[in-house]
Amino acid sequence: MPSFVSSPIWRVAFALLTKSTLRHWGQAKGSYLLIIAIVALGVGSLNGIRQASRAATANFGLFNEAISGRSDFLIEAPAGPIRETQLPGLAPLSRQPDWHLLPVIEGPFTQVSADGEPQRLLRLIGLDLVAVANLPTFIDREFAFGQAESRWNDWVGAAPRVWISSSLAADSGLKVGDSLRGAVGGRMHELEVAGMLGDADNPVPEDLLIADLPAAQAILTRVGEIDRIEAVVNDRAARQSPARMAEIEDRVRALLPEGLVFRAAAERIAERADMTAAFRLNLTILSLIAILVGAYLILQALDTAVVRRRAELATLKSLGVGQRALFLTLMLESLLIGTLGSILGLGVGVLLASGAVHLLADTVNALYFATSVEAIRMSGVDIATGLAVGIGFSLFAGLLPARDAMFTPPAQILSRGDWSPGFVWLRRPWTGLALVGAGLLCLLLPPLPLAGGARLPLGGFLAAGCGIIGAALLSGQTLVWIARACQRVAVGAATKLALSRLADGSSRHRLAVAGLVVAVAMVTGMVQMVGSFRVSIERWFDVRFQAELYVSERTAGGASAVNGIAPEVLQAVTTGPAVTFADTLYISPVGAPSGRTYLGGVDLGAWSGRVAQIWIKDPGALAPAADAQPAFISETFARRFDLMEGGKITLATPTGSRDVTPIGIYADYGNEFGSAVIAAEVWKQWIQADRAINTSLYLQPGTDANVVRDALRLRFPGLEIRNAQELRTLALGIFEQTFRVTSALNGIGLTVAIVGLALGLFSLFAESAGTWATLRRIGFPAKSFALTAGVEGAGIALAAWLSGTFVGLCLGWLLIYVINVQSFGWTLVWHLPVGAFLGLGASLVVFGFLAGALTGAWHRRGLS
Amino acid sequence: MKKWLTILVLIGTFVSAQAEPNPWIEPPLTTERNFPVPRPDVVPEIPAAHGSYPAYAIEWWYWVGHLRAAETDEQFGFQSTVFRRAAGPDAGDAEDTAQCGDDQLFMSHAGLSDLTAGRYTHVERIYRGGWQAHSAEGQLDLAAGPIMAMENGQGGFSMTVSYPDDSRLELTLTPTKPMVSFGDRGLSRKGADPAAVSWYWSYSRKAVRGQLWRNGEATAVEGVAWMDHEISSSQLGSNLAGWDWTAIQLDDGTEVKAYRLRENDGGMDPWSACYWIDEAGEVSYVYADRFEWREIDAWTSDDTGLTYPTSVDIVARHPDTDIIRTYRLRPLLDEQEFRGNRAENPYWEGACEVLDENGDRIGLAYLELAGYGGGLAAQLAQ
Amino acid sequence: MTTTATRSAPEPNDPPDGTTGALAVNQLRKSYGAVEVLHGVDLDVQPGERVALMGPSGSGKSTLLNCICGIEPADAGQILISGADLTKMNAAELERTRRESIGYVFQSFHLLPTLTARENVEFPGQLIGLAARERRERAGALLDQVGMSHRAEHLPDALSGGERQRVALARAVMNSPRLVLADEPTGSLDSVIGDQVLELLQTISDELNIALLLVTHDTDCARICHRTVRLHDGRIAKPD
């Protein structure tokens, strides 16, 4: 045991902890369980968000891992797919028995019900089902595609047969030999179910479809193409040795033919992780804010406990227990609360994650890439983070009450009357002003570039944090001003008494206001951002989407759940008699100087004219650079690659590096990585593909769009065809989906703050016991007690709402003009939902009044 | 007298008929699954005989050899086998140019015995015909997993075999004797089923030179090898549990090949045979009634628990000289068990020394003991 | 009243050597803002001596007591507890003095609500680091002495006012202080119980040779004391 533990202070603190603190816990189990639960909720929220976002984004692309095991290396083309004709060049690499090479192709397959409605998005993976049998994991898991080797060719080849997961089979009622119907690229397919994979011991993702490579290529109409070649090291023990893996990597690189690139699998995972880095970081920051507000609640709760034990603390002081011993005792109590709450929070985190993961996966699906949910896992880092955050925040929250306790005067002094700790620093404005000043300075910081091309607006976030806390510390003065102003017009003894107490601006009143200001500011700021986003998107829709019908591949949704419309299908759709013009978009990811971006192919002439856009820079406003392909670029693209005033950029395409130069900048809220569009014919040459992602149909004047829509739907069941209203509804639905988590966190933060207000009022009134007793002796009516307390509560809420709204407006400006621009590179229309703000204020004031009145009445009863 | 002579002739005919337990059985044109069956009296032509016969159901190329390091005392044995199996009788109709084909399946087995260090390395891979495995017609051009072999334009073959941990053998194999064709009328029979025949063409002795690469360093090696190329559409009868096979290269420049086809009930199938190849490459042979395969000692694998009779005495009466020859095979390394990716069909295939009755070394051999873990018949029946 | 025959009891303090009193207050002054509450108070208490401090409300009795136990700093003058000058001590030293040299008996008892009677008595011993066994024995002897052994395991909630004050008494002398300060010790008790408590105070003071400064406005309480000192308007009145 460390020597300090036997020192007198520690000895006394432990004695007090065991004989006094824990016995108080036993007497007020409910209160302490609540405090522990608050810590658990805070830790659970943080860990839950982390685990959920990890599980939602972890299982992307390498879906076949369940079958083939974890891949160690990847071989890819620098851009676009690998051609099958490149495979013989890999034969020398393939001959080495130290690893296995597995060509893989994958694509989305939308399962469709009997009446043609999309049911779910599945991932079709094409593997060499013969070669995969060499893989150690495959052998270990005792998978089998066929029944007997002598008939091996029965289950390989180009015939459309697939193996599905046992869970999908159970869910869809499919058995071997049944037909799985679905759409790819606008065409309908019937696939034969050749077998089931996976069981309870060896689960495979539910949405996984496995086919032999030639079969998958045929279904995806990508004959001759391969997405990547995965390399699995044969000796699994070698994976644990970095030196061995480095040696293997060197050998692979040495044998790799021209035209292919080597990538460690971890890089790909990191690249995918980078794509969602900003998204996940935003979520983490939001959950940290939730914890901060939770810490405030813990502070209030612990302080209430100190107030309750004031007399005991005074006795201890009079018996000679020192300040440091009391401080240490209270901090040990915080430590215990933090530890128990954190341990409980780890379990809560798993529960919350399980609930949130599908929500997040939907968001990732909608915004980034197709992902399949992996099981929620708690790693050592999660445990350490949860404990550190929970204990850390509990200790932080316990500091003030511990200080409060250590300054409690001895019993001889306390018995003289009401006493409250000074919290002198709350009355001094310098701390708040300094924080606000620091926040303004932080605005000067440039955004932090993240791997993958995203950017973190670090200065913006720091400015927001400093500003909120600084303003919260200054908000107590608002309370005093409001109270003094109202005092002039107040009538009635109860109201005057309440206003006089508010105008006095005690430290406890200021603390109660400060806590609520943080939550109000956060909510107000977020509501503005979400509202502004919505308004901006609606405006964009109104301008941009003028066509009558919108045609895309039939899919259950998702950013990369697209294979493209088959060319012959596109031809048939766009040359219908009712169609005057089709605005067709081709798109492909390409490599950019940092990370990736998107290159599109369109009718540039039409984009300059009949197809409306919101132009940030009109076509022709920018002088094109020489020897580069002219392009329209999105605002995000322009900001990300510093092309707002024109210039040139080199992109990596399947046919090599290509230069593009902007001749106009348009608004686009579609993706945060930006896009550039060039002439469609050039795009086809560069990308060596000819599948469009969508087309917008402009119809003959007077044509009934819905009639044309219905006819097209009948003729092309593999296509999704929507009119303008339907598309708008869909897009806004995705928008709502992406902000669901934000709304949830807003709700948590506000709830926690309101409960904190109630606890704060409780402490406030508890410390005024002497005053209440006196009032009672002089005949102050019970109803007046409630009214006084209610007015105090309402006053605190009003002051917090006013201050918080002001801060929130500043935060909104920050979010829209700094954080959003730096993170995503797009300009939003600032929208102030005044009605929502007023509603929030009214609700808070009403709640503050009710909380105060009830607390006051409770105290009044206690005096009887 | 005449009557007695007639009776004697009749009795003699009967006796001589009984003395021929392996009469000629005419093979059918196709198997039940319509694969072509190898025809009798086919004279293999070089180089086409080394190439693939894709229409036939089963084919393998098999090399075993004994190597020694030119500058040190190290000794090695190697076994490289590529099996081909056709998907169906139309597999050979047209060349399958797909990178992931579905006409042919290849399995390669590569084993390396470091007899000096007492270490055995082996690797199995299975690939479909395409970019990872192919066998050309018309000449040897074979690649399947870690094994690659082709004509070297100088009457021999070059072969590269890759082993784990970046080891590999690079060899040049040059026949020193003409190719032989085993069996009656050029058909090697493995059972009473009429279709159970194969073309079985071997080089009983090849001079080998090359390098063994280990840890980035090359060791020059030289030695002697044996090659088999067998083509058939149906091999073992369903009454067979497995086989014991050996290729013996004697110091006097002759070779012996013998195999015991083991029946399910433990007996030796009458189509078991023993072949002698003389210095000139002439072949003589006897079937099961004229030779014995005696198990002398066995070795049990710690990994699979199977017991293999790795020390055997082959006692055979030479059909030309009528002299009884004894060949005592003793393994140069116990642990030469080939375990594939799955636990289904391990076999023992290892380098042995050959001793005479007096215990003097008279040559080297490779001994293959298959089917001790389960029935191989199903593996090779079509 | 039981004697201490069966258990080890705190050792009585050394008899006075004539040079070091239990308490010596010299020219003590104390003001609150512009209001001077104590105007140069002089007071001596010898070891084992019991002194009653009387005076009307507002005379400064509580202030004097708070200064003597180091809770309120004096503006001028000297306070010596067995020769140690409190006015020269820092906060830690004052706390230590309160733990080791001064016992306090409150009007409102001020027992720690979550500790049993025994634990309340043991507590000061725990503060000065007494070994557990010695603590238990001492506390046991004191509880015997104050007649509370049979209620030793009860929480304060379960004790009557008189019982609580007895426990508080035992607690006050646990560490064999030089001086016990009693502020209206019978103020919350009825006369019968109050008399019992006073007798206990007297007995303990005699047996353990502890000086007692008893603040009271009740002349009846002063009967256990050797002399009475009157405080009037912040000054010690001359004896009649």
Side-chain angles (χ1 to χ4, degrees):
Chain A
M1 191 174 294
S3 59
F4 66 77
V5 173
S6 58
S7 79
I9 289 176
W10 280 90
R11 200 180 52 234
V12 170
F14 274 121
L16 286 174
L17 187 72
T18 50
K19 294 217 159 83
S20 174
T21 305
L22 290 180
R23 292 184 191 180
H24 278 294
W25 282 31
Q27 288 170 359
K29 291 190 199 68
S31 308
Y32 287 97
L33 280 174
L34 183 65
I35 298 175
I36 291 171
I38 291 164
V39 175
L41 190 64
V43 170
S45 299
L46 179 72
N47 257 5
I49 291 288
R50 280 163 45 87
Q51 286 167 15
S53 62
R54 197 168 63 224
T57 58
N59 197 5
F60 42 77
L62 302 179
F63 283 52
N64 47 290
E65 197 173 290
I67 305 293
S68 54
R70 203 188 79 210
S71 295
D72 299 296
F73 307 112
L74 296 170
I75 296 169
E76 295 177 322
I82 298 173
R83 304 284 155 194
E84 259 191 3
T85 47
Q86 293 175 275
L87 287 178
L90 285 164
L93 204 61
S94 169
R95 278 199 280 279
Q96 302 303 316
D98 285 326
W99 51 74
H100 304 272
L101 297 187
L102 199 64
V104 180
I105 191 170
E106 65 173 286
F109 181 89
T110 303
Q111 186 184 11
V112 162
S113 68
D115 49 6
E117 284 309 306
Q119 283 185 302
R120 76 189 88 200
L121 182 64
L122 304 173
R123 302 296 298 168
L124 174 63
I125 306 281
L127 303 172
D128 179 343
L129 296 189
V130 175
V132 78
N134 291 303
L135 270 56
T137 306
F138 187 91
I139 295 165
D140 280 350
R141 293 183 184 170
E142 297 180 353
F143 285 124
F145 291 110
Q147 299 302 312
E149 206 178 300
S150 56
R151 293 283 188 268
W152 65 276
N153 59 306
D154 287 348
W155 40 271
V156 301
R161 59 176 83 91
V162 287
W163 283 256
I164 65 177
S165 68
S166 309
S167 42
L168 177 67
D171 222 27
S172 306
L174 289 168
K175 356 181 249 311
V176 174
D178 284 349
S179 215
L180 175 68
R181 195 159 178 268
V184 178
R187 287 215 216 94
M188 295 301 291
H189 294 267
E190 302 269 351
L191 307 180
E192 179 201 336
V193 175
M196 318 294 178
L197 292 169
D199 53 33
D201 295 326
N202 289 314
V204 303
E206 189 181 316
D207 51 357
L208 183 65
L209 296 180
I210 296 280
D212 194 30
L213 189 65
Q217 288 169 326
I219 296 166
L220 298 170
T221 57
R222 296 180 57 201
V223 174
E225 288 183 10
I226 289 165
D227 283 325
R228 61 186 180 272
I229 294 168
E230 298 186 21
V232 180
V233 169
N234 188 57
D235 177 7
R236 281 176 284 188
R239 282 178 171 165
Q240 312 306 322
S241 162
R244 188 93 176 81
M245 292 301 284
E247 180 216 321
I248 288 176
E249 182 178 329
D250 288 343
R251 285 171 56 199
V252 172
R253 285 185 189 274
L255 290 168
L256 202 61
E258 289 283 323
L260 293 172
V261 296
F262 168 96
R263 195 106 63 98
E267 270 179 53
R268 182 189 171 89
I269 292 167
E271 182 201 70
R272 290 294 187 145
D274 291 339
M275 282 180 75
T276 56
F279 170 69
R280 287 181 294 114
L281 197 59
N282 282 324
L283 283 182
T284 305
I285 286 170
L286 281 176
S287 58
L288 277 174
I289 291 174
I291 284 199
L292 200 64
V293 186
Y296 165 68
L297 196 63
I298 296 165
L299 184 158
Q300 287 285 23
L302 284 175
D303 211 43
T304 305
V306 167
V307 167
R308 276 208 190 114
R309 282 142 70 178
R310 182 79 69 208
E312 184 185 334
L313 292 168
T315 304
L316 287 168
K317 268 296 190 67
S318 67
L319 289 175
V321 175
Q323 284 184 338
R324 290 197 297 165
L326 283 181
F327 180 83
L328 187 60
T329 308
L330 266 292
M331 291 308 289
L332 284 174
E333 185 176 2
S334 299
L335 178 65
L336 192 58
I337 288 171
T339 306
L340 292 173
S342 300
I343 291 171
L344 189 64
L346 294 176
V348 168
V350 172
L351 280 173
L352 286 177
S354 306
V357 67
H358 287 280
L359 201 64
L360 287 180
D362 287 347
T363 305
V364 171
N365 247 322
L367 295 184
Y368 297 98
F369 44 74
T371 179
S372 175
V373 168
E374 225 182 41
I376 302 295
R377 268 199 281 261
M378 182 148 57
S379 66
V381 173
D382 289 335
I383 294 173
T385 306
L387 288 172
V389 167
I391 292 173
F393 273 94
S394 298
L395 288 174
F396 174 68
L399 272 174
L400 211 54
R403 239 178 131 259
D404 180 345
M406 79 190 257
F407 288 129
T408 301
Q412 292 89 334
I413 303 228
L414 192 69
S415 54
R416 281 214 299 259
D418 291 340
W419 179 88
S420 187
F423 296 161
V424 169
W425 50 274
L426 262 180
R427 294 173 180 264
R428 289 200 207 110
W430 300 116
T431 319
L433 287 170
L435 277 170
V436 171
L440 288 170
L441 284 174
C442 286
L443 283 176
L444 300 172
L445 290 171
L448 204 65
L450 296 173
R455 291 178 305 171
L456 177 69
L458 184 65
F461 280 125
L462 285 174
C466 290
I468 289 174
I469 296 174
L473 293 176
L474 293 171
S475 60
Q477 197 55 42
T478 314
L479 176 68
V480 171
W481 289 334
I482 292 172
R484 285 185 188 160
C486 292
Q487 268 181 319
R488 290 188 202 121
V489 298
V491 292
T495 313
K496 284 190 174 172
L497 175 64
L499 289 172
S500 72
R501 285 165 56 85
L502 291 173
D504 182 45
S506 81
S507 306
R508 264 208 199 286
H509 285 94
R510 290 171 189 261
L511 189 65
V513 174
L516 200 51
V517 162
V518 172
V520 171
M522 189 183 90
V523 169
T524 307
M526 286 304 199
V527 162
Q528 277 174 89
M529 191 187 76
V530 174
S532 302
F533 213 127
R534 177 180 248 277
V535 164
S536 303
I537 284 188
E538 283 176 349
R539 179 175 151 245
W540 177 58
F541 250 85
D542 290 338
V543 173
R544 175 74 180 84
F545 293 89
Q546 303 271 356
E548 276 84 23
L549 292 178
Y550 297 88
V551 181
S552 61
E553 190 184 348
R554 188 157 202 137
T555 169
S560 64
V562 282
N563 207 40
I565 303 172
E568 68 279 9
V569 173
L570 181 72
Q571 173 75 7
V573 165
T574 56
T575 53
V579 178
T580 59
F581 172 70
D583 175 22
T584 300
L585 175 68
Y586 300 83
I587 202 122
S588 171
V590 291
S594 60
R596 61 154 57 192
T597 185
Y598 290 92
L599 182 67
V602 298
D603 182 337
L604 276 186
W607 270 47
S608 307
R610 70 177 297 174
V611 176
Q613 294 284 358
I614 298 178
W615 292 104
I616 311 294
K617 291 269 166 81
D618 286 333
L622 297 170
D627 300 326
Q629 183 70 23
F632 294 133
I633 62 175
S634 71
E635 186 189 358
T636 303
F637 191 100
R639 289 189 190 279
R640 193 174 155 204
F641 301 114
D642 201 19
L643 295 169
M644 287 297 286
E645 304 306 323
K648 188 162 73 168
I649 183 171
T650 305
L651 303 172
T653 74
T655 53
S657 298
R658 305 285 189 176
D659 291 337
V660 299
T661 179
I663 55 173
I665 303 176
Y666 59 92
D668 181 7
Y669 300 102
N671 82 83
E672 72 203 63
F673 298 98
S675 50
V677 296
I678 57 176
E681 291 315 309
V682 176
W683 183 92
K684 289 179 189 175
Q685 286 169 28
W686 285 9
I687 306 298
Q688 293 290 297
D690 60 357
R691 279 187 301 277
I693 197 171
N694 63 44
T695 187
S696 311
L697 303 179
Y698 292 75
L699 304 179
Q700 300 279 3
T703 310
D704 185 338
N706 289 343
V707 168
V708 178
R709 176 199 67 188
D710 295 342
L712 286 172
R713 280 179 178 171
L714 212 59
R715 198 171 150 209
F716 302 105
L719 291 180
E720 191 68 70
I721 303 168
R722 299 181 180 95
N723 62 28
Q725 185 55 42
E726 287 166 335
L727 185 71
R728 191 192 179 89
T729 307
L730 174 75
L732 290 177
I734 292 175
F735 169 85
E736 298 296 343
Q737 190 176 284
T738 63
F739 283 107
R740 255 188 254 162
V741 176
T742 310
S743 303
L745 284 171
N746 266 350
I748 290 174
L750 205 51
T751 306
V752 167
I754 285 171
V755 175
L757 171 63
L759 279 173
L761 288 170
F762 188 91
S763 298
L764 211 137
F765 298 143
E767 274 185 350
S768 310
T771 306
W772 295 149
T774 305
L775 286 170
R776 189 165 163 268
R777 282 198 201 109
I778 64 171
F780 202 62
K783 272 199 295 196
S784 300
F785 268 104
L787 183 61
T788 303
V791 171
E792 266 191 77
I796 291 172
L798 180 65
W801 175 69
L802 285 172
S803 303
T805 302
F806 175 73
V807 176
L809 285 172
C810 297
L811 180 62
W813 176 89
L814 198 66
L815 284 167
I816 288 161
Y817 287 107
V818 177
I819 290 175
N820 231 297
V821 172
Q822 289 183 2
S823 273
F824 304 112
W826 50 51
T827 309
L828 299 178
V829 175
W830 194 7
H831 171 70
L832 296 175
V834 175
F837 295 159
L838 290 174
L840 176 65
S843 307
L844 279 175
V845 169
V846 167
F847 177 81
F849 182 88
L850 287 172
L854 287 169
T855 312
W858 188 88
H859 273 286
R860 166 71 175 76
R861 254 207 315 279
L863 293 172
S864 304
Chain B
M1 188 62 169
K2 239 193 190 166
K3 192 159 77 172
W4 281 111
L5 209 56
T6 312
I7 290 168
L8 273 170
V9 166
L10 279 171
I11 290 170
T13 311
F14 177 72
V15 165
S16 68
Q18 289 301 314
E20 284 201 62
N22 303 85
W24 172 257
I25 301 171
E26 183 66 24
L29 287 176
T30 64
T31 65
E32 282 174 7
R33 279 191 68 204
N34 278 328
F35 283 101
V37 177
R39 308 309 309 145
D41 306 317
V42 166
V43 176
E45 288 180 18
I46 312 285
H50 304 147
S52 184
Y53 289 77
Y56 293 82
I58 304 167
E59 183 171 19
W60 61 66
W61 296 260
Y62 169 91
W63 292 268
V64 289
H66 307 272
L67 304 171
R68 62 191 168 278
E71 289 167 14
T72 67
D73 290 334
E74 288 178 291
Q75 307 222 353
F76 306 91
F78 75 90
Q79 170 229 344
S80 305
T81 313
V82 175
F83 300 86
R84 178 192 60 77
R85 174 188 293 265
D90 52 358
D93 287 354
E95 193 188 352
D96 185 359
T97 56
Q99 300 299 340
C100 291
D102 52 9
D103 278 347
Q104 305 291 347
L105 184 71
F106 291 85
M107 181 162 68
S108 56
H109 282 189
L112 180 68
S113 304
D114 184 337
L115 301 171
T116 311
R119 200 166 36 235
Y120 177 65
T121 307
H122 61 292
V123 60
E124 173 189 79
R125 291 288 181 266
I126 300 178
Y127 294 116
R128 65 215 286 172
W131 70 289
Q132 290 176 299
H134 71 265
S135 57
E137 294 178 67
Q139 61 173 14
L140 183 71
D141 180 3
L142 179 66
I147 301 172
M148 187 173 68
M150 57 177 61
E151 309 273 350
N152 66 359
Q154 287 145 25
F157 303 147
S158 58
M159 175 191 293
T160 304
V161 186
S162 301
Y163 301 101
D165 297 329
D166 203 17
S167 301
R168 71 180 179 280
L169 264 179
E170 293 173 346
L171 301 175
T172 304
L173 301 99
T174 309
T176 54
K177 288 170 99 164
M179 192 168 80
V180 299
S181 170
F182 290 107
D184 282 341
R185 296 172 62 189
L187 286 184
S188 171
R189 176 163 287 285
K190 302 290 191 324
D193 182 343
V197 291
S198 65
W199 288 322
Y200 194 149
W201 305 324
S202 298
Y203 284 105
S204 61
R205 195 173 289 258
K206 290 181 148 189
V208 183
R209 280 190 190 285
Q211 299 188 96
L212 172 63
W213 288 87
R214 295 170 292 179
N215 299 324
E217 289 188 4
T219 304
V221 291
E222 59 188 15
V224 65
W226 175 298
M227 176 189 172
D228 283 348
H229 181 197
E230 192 163 1
I231 303 112
S232 87
S233 287
S234 178
Q235 274 279 41
L236 297 185
S238 55
N239 62 315
L240 296 178
W243 65 80
D244 304 333
W245 177 99
T246 183
I248 299 170
Q249 290 163 320
L250 298 170
D251 296 336
D252 62 8
T254 65
E255 297 84 37
V256 177
K257 186 186 85 165
Y259 52 84
R260 172 175 74 154
L261 304 171
R262 303 193 313 279
E263 291 172 332
N264 286 324
D265 60 8
M268 184 152 102
D269 186 278
W271 293 100
S272 305
C274 182
Y275 292 81
W276 288 264
I277 303 108
D278 69 15
E279 293 93 335
E282 295 296 323
V283 180
S284 316
Y285 60 94
V286 294
Y287 285 111
D289 60 316
R290 297 292 296 272
F291 80 100
E292 288 175 56
W293 187 291
R294 298 177 187 163
E295 297 177 6
I296 304 302
D297 202 359
W299 170 79
T300 301
S301 165
D302 287 338
D303 278 296
T304 60
L306 298 178
T307 300
Y308 301 93
T310 52
S311 293
V312 299
D313 285 356
I314 297 168
V315 181
R317 186 182 293 278
H318 197 288
D320 300 336
T321 64
D322 218 33
I323 295 172
I324 293 176
R325 301 284 180 82
T326 300
Y327 306 102
R328 295 195 163 148
L329 275 61
R330 303 290 179 264
L332 289 168
L333 176 65
D334 278 335
E335 182 155 352
Q336 296 182 83
E337 181 186 33
F338 194 101
R339 297 179 295 280
N341 290 336
R342 290 170 203 260
E344 285 156 1
N345 255 326
Y347 60 94
W348 195 94
E349 175 113 30
C352 299
E353 61 179 351
V354 186
L355 312 174
D356 64 10
E357 302 89 339
N358 303 319
D360 297 323
R361 183 191 275 214
I362 56 172
L364 293 169
Y366 245 83
L367 176 65
E368 179 180 299
L369 306 167
Y372 285 87
L376 274 185
Q379 294 289 314
L380 293 170
Q382 278 290 61
Chain C
M1 206 70 59
T2 56
T3 63
T4 57
T6 53
R7 297 192 210 196
S8 67
E11 292 298 319
N13 289 321
D14 295 336
D17 62 2
T19 58
T20 310
L23 171 69
V25 178
N26 301 320
Q27 287 297 295
L28 192 69
R29 290 186 186 280
K30 174 70 183 175
S31 302
Y32 293 110
V35 180
E36 194 174 36
V37 179
L38 298 175
H39 308 285
V41 171
D42 292 314
L43 180 64
D44 289 319
V45 183
Q46 298 303 315
E49 187 185 13
R50 292 186 290 282
V51 175
L53 179 64
M54 300 186 70
S57 287
S59 59
K61 301 191 298 296
S62 297
T63 306
L64 179 59
L65 227 55
N66 288 347
C67 289
I68 289 171
C69 68
I71 283 168
E72 301 222 34
D75 295 334
Q78 229 184 8
I79 303 168
L80 300 168
I81 307 277
S82 297
D85 188 352
L86 264 60
T87 57
K88 292 188 167 50
M89 289 182 188
N90 60 27
E93 288 163 341
L94 286 170
E95 282 170 358
R96 193 174 158 194
T97 302
R98 276 204 293 285
R99 286 196 295 271
E100 295 175 359
S101 305
I102 302 174
Y104 208 105
V105 181
F106 297 87
Q107 178 177 349
S108 308
F109 328 125
H110 285 287
L111 294 181
L112 295 169
T114 57
L115 274 61
T116 61
R118 177 192 304 283
E119 286 169 337
N120 264 286
V121 174
E122 282 186 22
F123 191 76
Q126 213 163 9
L127 288 181
I128 64 167
L130 273 186
R133 192 172 161 199
E134 191 183 349
R135 247 186 8 240
R136 264 198 308 280
E137 284 176 358
R138 262 205 212 183
L142 283 170
L143 284 168
D144 270 346
Q145 194 161 11
V146 301
M148 286 299 295
S149 300
H150 63 297
R151 303 279 271 164
E153 306 312 323
H154 286 77
L155 291 171
D157 272 354
L159 303 176
S160 68
E163 287 172 332
R164 288 186 213 175
Q165 195 61 295
R166 289 178 199 228
V167 173
L169 243 174
R171 180 181 69 182
V173 300
M174 173 68 183
N175 290 345
S176 303
R178 298 280 171 181
L179 174 69
V180 166
L181 305 172
D183 188 357
E184 306 276 7
T186 59
S188 301
L189 306 171
D190 64 42
S191 55
V192 172
I193 307 295
D195 282 345
Q196 288 171 0
V197 168
L198 284 173
E199 277 178 33
L200 266 175
L201 261 174
Q202 182 178 5
T203 307
I204 284 173
S205 166
D206 284 338
E207 287 186 4
L208 300 179
N209 200 34
I210 295 175
L212 174 68
L213 182 61
L214 174 65
V215 170
T216 183
H217 63 272
D218 183 351
T219 46
D220 205 36
C221 287
R223 65 182 161 78
I224 67 163
C225 298
H226 295 106
R227 60 185 168 101
T228 298
V229 166
R230 288 183 193 283
L231 195 62
H232 190 76
D233 284 340
R235 290 186 176 82
I236 300 287
K238 290 194 170 33
D240 294 337

